[in-house]
Amino acid sequence: METEGLINQAYQEAKKGLQEGGIPIGSVLVYNGQVIGRGHNRRVQNNSAILHAEMDALENAGRQKTQVYRECTLYTTLSPCPMCSGVILLYGIPKVVIGENQTFMGEENLLKERGVEIQVLNHKGCREMMEQFIKDQPELWNEDIGE
């Protein structure tokens, strides 16, 4: 499957999160062209301190061998925060495709410094959904990003 279709799957996950009353960020983990894990931010829904979209996608992929992670691409609607970037580095995921980084700039520089390939798509839908969410629910957004 191509990049556009895969980021759109992450975008659909973000929409699910919003519909559930959560934060609209979605992610899919792809191995050999197949989605092996998908998820969305579930901090609100699960009363979780750590269940960001990337973490949810990895959790839903289940335990994988090291070599699988090292051949995966992670698609996420928003630039990864420090926690999610740490998980990307921990498991050696070599490529991250980001829907947008205008509403939040995560640890892209750290990832690049550590050899992770970063591709930012400037996906209009991802950006507009986050802009609207931040406008509508600034307290919840600030809670999630720790401000």
Side-chain angles (χ1 to χ4, degrees), residues 20-83:
E20 293 170 359
I23 297 149
I25 305 169
S27 185
V28 294
L29 184 66
V30 177
Y31 174 68
N32 284 339
Q34 299 295 315
V35 174
I36 62 169
R38 64 180 63 247
H40 51 275
N41 187 303
R42 294 180 193 262
R43 287 188 69 249
V44 173
Q45 300 91 313
N46 289 21
N47 195 32
S48 170
I50 62 170
L51 208 45
H52 284 189
E54 299 89 340
M55 304 290 269
D56 193 36
L58 282 162
E59 179 72 14
N60 290 327
R63 286 177 54 199
Q64 300 293 327
K65 294 182 179 184
T66 303
Q67 194 56 41
V68 170
Y69 293 118
R70 291 182 179 164
E71 296 177 16
C72 282
T73 299
L74 183 68
Y75 291 78
T76 183
T77 59
L78 188 64
S79 185
C81 75
M83 175 180 65

Side-chain angles (χ1 to χ4, degrees), residues 1-8 10-11 25-30 54 72-80 88 93-101 108 111 116-123 126:
M1 186 174 284
E2 64 186 60
T3 297
E4 185 177 328
L6 292 164
I7 200 65
N8 283 331
Y11 177 71
I25 305 169
S27 185
V28 294
L29 184 66
V30 177
E54 299 89 340
C72 282
T73 299
L74 183 68
Y75 291 78
T76 183
T77 59
L78 188 64
S79 185
I88 291 163
I93 297 169
K95 183 175 181 181
V96 179
V97 178
I98 299 167
E100 67 99 0
N101 63 4
E108 292 176 34
L111 292 170
V116 177
E117 180 184 346
I118 301 293
Q119 181 180 0
V120 180
L121 301 177
N122 296 313
H123 186 281
C126 293

